[in-house]
Amino acid sequence: QLKLVNPSQYRFEHLVTQMKWRLQEGRGEAVYQIGVEDNGLLVGLSEEEMRASLKTLRRMAEKVGADITVLREREVDYDSDVPRKITEVLVRKVPDNQQFLDLRVAVLGNVDSGKSTLLGVLTQGELDNGRGRARLNLFRHLHEIQSGRTSSISFEILGFNSKGEVVNYSDSRTAEEICESSSKMITFIDLAGHHKYLKTTIFGLTSYCPDFAMLVVSANTGIAGTTREHLGLAMALKVPFFIVISKVDLCSKATVERTVKQLERILKQPGCNKLPLLVNSDDDAVTAAQQFAQSPNITPIFTLSSVSGENLDLLKVFLNILPPLTNSKEQEELMQQLTEFQVDEIYTVPEVGTVVGGTLSSGICREGENLVVGPTDDGKFLQLKVCSIQRNRSACRVLRAGQAATLALGPFDRSLLRKGMVMVSPEMNPTICSVFEAEIVLLFHATTFRKGFQVTVHVGNVRQTAIVEKIHGKDKLRTGEKAVVRFRFIKHPEYLKIGAKLLFREGVTKGIGHVTDLQAITTKENSLEESLGPGQLSF
């Protein structure tokens, strides 16, 4: 927008309508640049015009029920004696259907690079003491507290209110309060760095469908251990990532620069093809967030310390502006499909019964809805009813596509459930298979990869050992080769989709690819119905 000085009533209404539309497209967020012509020419406004324009923008925002925050101002060199400025303004509103923006960020990095500590500092709002106090609230098991190593997947939330201020546990809030007072939530998925827990880390990246990944590198050790592997995983799964160099208070400027150079070198390699962008000021952070969402090739790099708090604000500014990857149109298209919910975690909660956690990949799920869950070991789907839904620890009536939540299933028998199942609407008639084909690339293998080889396959939330039954057109595969391979699951059939991304590993063997063909298992429904009795119908 060039300028918004005292618009006429008609023009004002038009601007408000435009703002409504923009907020709807951006799922509750929009960035206005004032002082820029429509063709992108940086004209700038004088002090007075800028003040009037911001006042108009505030009026517009009040009309649609949004808040505005000035992100940054800068002066432009334009042929005039008066200093002229451009301002960028973030307009944010809790959307009409009271769905806050929810971004999921997976946290990767080598063991001891400071992942959990950084999350502790961001979500608790107090700095670390250099001895790991900040991360104690994140651990889920006693052995994690004793060894200081994360071995499970834990979730931490960080909220931003509509004015762009951080909402976290610092004011002794509960999780419910954070959700109520935030218009944007960032869920951090804290993954394990240790090599021993690699399967948990892969599971976290494939099944929780993160929007972004944050790779934490420690400034004093540089790129070591599993850092490269995690970088490779993020790229194989096409998760856009940004890099945080932590512990800069421990070492000299030269060491930090060396780590930055090392990272830049790796990112510019032909395999990565990324453009590193080092963030040193608020200005850079704003640019980084906008560019990062538009082009996946840009990788912002932050240098910060969880102990001294240096540059932590830049990361908060970046996370505050970071827009969601899908626009509202794509989400609506997903919502119109049939319900499909991936089961990632299973709990038993006293007085509630069985509870499953996971992500709704398509459709809409309401309280009281009847769904079928499966496949069981013998390929059946069982009926169940969703009793209640919780999202980010607060009750929620309706779940929309792409959102993570926990569903209470009441008295349903927990032993019938396992990770990797799906809950779908009964009319979907889901296809299940034991044998499937995938086009794969072998990333690394010590010897040759041939028929009869056993690997652990990860597809979304499915994780199971499979045997290589056939490699089309070849006898064996070597590192870096491509082929279509037929796999057979060892234990039980799984629900897969054509085109799903696939990762497999076995010791040092690793590969990626996508599912190309399924051999669906079909059963005669009528005979099963008679033998099982009604209500146990399998597909």
Side-chain angles (χ1 to χ4, degrees), residues 215-287:
L215 184 71
V216 183
V217 179
S218 146
N220 53 356
T221 52
I223 297 175
T226 45
T227 308
R228 283 198 173 138
E229 205 154 323
H230 286 179
L231 189 73
L233 283 176
M235 291 189 60
L237 294 165
K238 295 193 172 53
V239 180
F241 59 91
F242 57 96
I243 295 178
V244 172
I245 297 176
S246 63
K247 307 192 188 182
V248 294
D249 57 302
L250 280 181
C251 45
S252 62
K253 256 203 166 100
T255 318
V256 177
E257 279 170 17
R258 200 184 68 214
T259 306
V260 171
K261 285 210 169 67
Q262 195 185 6
L263 273 166
E264 286 181 342
R265 204 169 54 239
I266 280 198
L267 290 171
K268 286 176 181 167
Q269 279 174 357
C272 278
N273 270 341
K274 299 277 185 207
L275 194 67
L277 177 62
L278 191 61
V279 177
N280 291 322
S281 63
D282 280 2
D283 220 26
D284 293 350
V286 175
T287 313

